[in-house]
Amino acid sequence: MSQEDDKSRCNGIKKHRTTLPVPMISRNDVSIWSILKKCIGMELSKITMPVVFNEPLSFLQRIAEYMEHTYLIHQANSSSDSIERLKCVAAFAVSAVASQWERTGKPFNPLLGETYELIREDLAFRWMSEQVSHHPPVSAFHAEGLRNDFVFHGSIYPKLKFWGKSVEAEPRGIITLEFPMHNEAYTWTNPICCVHNVIVGQLWIEQYGNVEVVNHKTGEKCSLTFKRCGLFGKELHKVEGYLLDKSKRKLCALYGKWTECLYTVDPTVYDAHKKADKKSTEEKKGAKPHGSDEESEEMPIPESETVQVIPGSELLWRITPRPENTAQMYAFSTFAMQLNELEDGMEGVIPATDCRLRPDMRAFENGDIDQASKEKKRLEEKQRMSRKERAKTGEDWKSSPALGPRWFQQAPNPHNGSRDWIYSGGYWDRNYSQLPDIY
């Protein structure tokens, strides 16, 4: 990299913090039911929630947590075999959503034009993201290896719905990982995330749905299923699937938990294990009295054992252990606790739109909930007034060079043609003139 590139990599952090300024703010005195009771079946992005239900991160920072296990990307790129690369990419796709575990706080909704950057020399990547649309809310991101060995990009537009006892988040949008050295591109989408017992009881999270990681060069794919918890919580957090060649022949099986680990094993061995496990389960069911088949909203009691490792399995990924103080820190990982760091040297380098500079979120992180509430209302009103002014003059945010997305443009994904936002370059030049005044 050139000297200019070195300068662009400097954002002021020399040693990362291991805790937040103050512990998590209690939510015990606030009734969420009084807010949500009129919202059953509605899309929640337009509902204003009290700041006490937040966590001290913007959604732009939340999605940057995809990068916590970046070593899997480097591991994939260093392999000479396409199947080994696909295994690592599939493990990365699972690891990228592992941060959701026990995270019941709501991230701050990004303001239109808000940005976030993250440079991690130790993990050899740099990341930038921008809120490119408000209705619907769309967050676009672009990350690259510091050795120019990978590009990771995507756009996420989550659909949130309240179903009476639970809130479901469907993270629409395509995710793409490219390896220039191998001339390969992989795409996938994330599973649905559901928070249960939002009204009363213990909050708990599950992720479910099908995730297909496709290698667009070879036609090989990994088809994964994030399983619903099921009756008695037997399937809670489980992930399973297969790597398939372009003729859909099973090459290997993957299994584990998105909260814990992912293994790979020969598909014949895995199928035999599943068959034996199913037979054992049916025998146990036959010995018990029949009960209701309805799934409960109550927190399932996890099985005493962790992931049962099948003989001959290879470990692909294991989650980084959470710090001891995680329960007092919004269930953050150590990586998450470092995302909102702001040191003296950074303000002269990062753009004024970076979410580290949001006054409401900074006040909330520092434990000043009254100031956080005031600032949140002020920023939301400022955004509404800006939208009204644009409506009066007929200016369109997306198409205006002075107002619109600065670092991304709407375009089809180059690998599968789906709707996407593509990085247009220039962010790391550090020329931040004519940025919108959003704070």
Side-chain angles (χ1 to χ4, degrees):
M1 284 195 172
S2 67
Q3 286 184 337
E4 285 189 11
D5 286 331
D6 286 336
K7 181 183 175 184
S8 75
R9 284 161 57 179
C10 176
N11 63 7
I13 297 180
K14 294 178 177 61
K15 186 176 180 182
H16 295 283
R17 67 187 182 185
T18 57
T19 186
L20 298 177
V22 296
M24 177 178 169
I25 296 167
S26 173
R27 301 170 182 147
N28 293 341
D29 299 329
V30 186
S31 169
I32 194 171
W33 176 241
S34 62
I35 302 151
L36 292 180
K37 62 185 176 183
K38 297 177 182 177
C39 307
I40 295 175
M42 288 177 60
E43 211 281 306
L44 288 185
S45 64
K46 298 178 183 180
I47 307 299
T48 301
M49 300 286 285
V51 73
V52 71
F53 292 110
N54 282 38
E55 62 177 22
L57 290 177
S58 166
F59 185 70
L60 293 182
Q61 293 166 311
R62 185 77 175 256
I63 59 176
E65 292 183 64
Y66 292 164
M67 303 302 290
E68 180 167 358
H69 299 93
T70 306
Y71 74 88
L72 290 164
I73 294 180
H74 296 303
Q75 196 171 302
N77 188 55
S78 65
S79 176
S80 59
D81 182 78
S82 66
I83 299 302
E84 292 303 312
R85 288 195 294 275
L86 183 54
K87 286 180 186 178
C88 292
V89 175
F92 176 73
V94 173
S95 79
V97 298
S99 64
Q100 305 275 22
W101 181 38
E102 296 185 334
R103 293 281 287 280
T104 55
K106 175 184 175 295
F108 281 73
N109 291 333
L111 300 166
L112 191 59
E114 187 175 310
T115 61
Y116 179 66
E117 71 166 66
L118 181 65
I119 303 171
R120 291 293 297 255
E121 302 272 359
D122 54 334
L123 302 176
F125 76 84
R126 63 184 185 183
W127 160 292
M128 73 82 47
S129 52
E130 180 181 13
Q131 191 70 6
V132 294
S133 175
H134 188 61
H135 289 308
V138 182
S139 306
F141 67 87
H142 181 91
E144 55 198 38
L146 295 180
R147 295 184 291 271
N148 299 316
D149 47 349
F150 74 87
V151 177
F152 177 56
H153 60 91
S155 50
I156 306 293
Y157 39 108
K159 298 289 287 184
L160 303 175
K161 281 198 174 180
F162 174 54
W163 296 113
K165 292 182 180 179
S166 61
V167 172
E168 189 178 74
E170 180 186 354
R172 299 181 183 181
I174 199 76
I175 294 173
T176 303
L177 176 62
E178 299 168 357
F179 292 130
M181 184 174 79
H182 301 287
N183 192 29
E184 283 182 344
Y186 302 78
T187 61
W188 67 91
T189 56
N190 282 333
I192 290 170
C193 180
C194 187
V195 182
H196 295 272
N197 290 342
V198 293
I199 305 304
V200 65
Q202 182 185 351
L203 291 168
W204 61 281
I205 289 175
E206 67 172 332
Q207 299 195 83
Y208 46 79
N210 297 321
V211 172
E212 190 171 76
V213 183
V214 180
N215 182 332
H216 289 272
K217 180 182 178 181
T218 65
E220 296 154 348
K221 63 181 66 174
C222 179
S223 183
L224 293 169
T225 299
F226 285 68
K227 309 194 83 171
R228 288 180 179 266
C229 75
L231 197 62
F232 308 121
K234 180 174 170 58
E235 305 295 314
L236 184 64
H237 302 151
K238 286 189 177 179
V239 183
E240 65 176 17
Y242 298 93
L243 260 66
L244 311 169
D245 65 16
K246 60 184 178 182
S247 60
K248 298 185 178 180
R249 180 173 61 93
K250 292 178 182 178
L251 302 175
C252 64
L254 281 74
Y255 68 96
K257 291 187 176 183
W258 60 266
T259 55
E260 191 178 323
C261 57
L262 192 70
Y263 287 90
T264 181
V265 73
D266 180 272
T268 307
V269 173
Y270 184 69
D271 290 343
H273 173 82
K274 276 188 71 177
K275 188 175 180 181
D277 188 52
K278 184 179 178 183
K279 184 179 179 182
S280 172
T281 302
E282 286 173 351
E283 287 173 355
K284 286 178 184 176
K285 276 185 182 178
K288 290 181 180 178
H290 292 289
S292 170
D293 285 337
E294 271 189 44
E295 289 189 17
S296 171
E297 284 286 334
E298 293 308 307
M299 173 67 184
I301 299 170
E303 295 176 321
S304 56
E305 74 270 15
T306 179
V307 173
Q308 185 181 350
V309 182
I310 302 166
S313 297
E314 173 197 357
L315 178 67
L316 293 176
W317 161 77
R318 186 177 297 282
I319 195 169
T320 303
R322 297 268 174 94
E324 289 183 5
N325 60 349
T326 185
Q328 293 79 45
M329 301 289 162
Y330 303 89
F332 281 6
S333 65
T334 301
F335 185 88
M337 279 194 265
Q338 299 162 353
L339 293 174
N340 202 41
E341 288 179 295
L342 179 63
E343 303 220 352
D344 293 340
M346 295 179 70
E347 289 196 54
V349 178
I350 62 177
T353 50
D354 193 287
C355 48
R356 291 181 183 89
L357 305 175
R358 277 188 68 153
D360 55 347
M361 200 166 71
R362 186 60 59 186
F364 186 74
E365 184 186 83
N366 290 329
D368 191 341
I369 191 164
D370 291 336
Q371 182 65 16
S373 296
K374 288 176 187 175
E375 287 291 348
K376 183 172 179 283
K377 288 176 184 175
R378 181 184 68 81
L379 293 176
E380 288 168 350
E381 182 58 29
K382 183 172 184 174
Q383 184 164 244
R384 278 192 289 269
M385 292 304 294
S386 296
R387 192 162 58 247
K388 285 180 182 178
E389 287 299 316
R390 289 197 301 273
K392 282 181 185 177
T393 58
E395 286 184 293
D396 177 55
W397 163 266
K398 292 180 185 177
S399 59
S400 169
L403 293 174
R406 179 74 179 267
W407 315 112
F408 293 85
Q409 57 187 4
Q410 199 165 18
N413 183 281
H415 308 293
N416 66 6
S418 63
R419 185 173 63 172
D420 207 348
W421 287 81
I422 305 300
Y423 179 60
S424 51
Y427 177 86
W428 301 104
D429 296 341
R430 298 298 191 195
N431 176 16
Y432 302 136
S433 59
Q434 297 183 326
L435 289 178
D437 175 17
I438 59 175
Y439 301 145

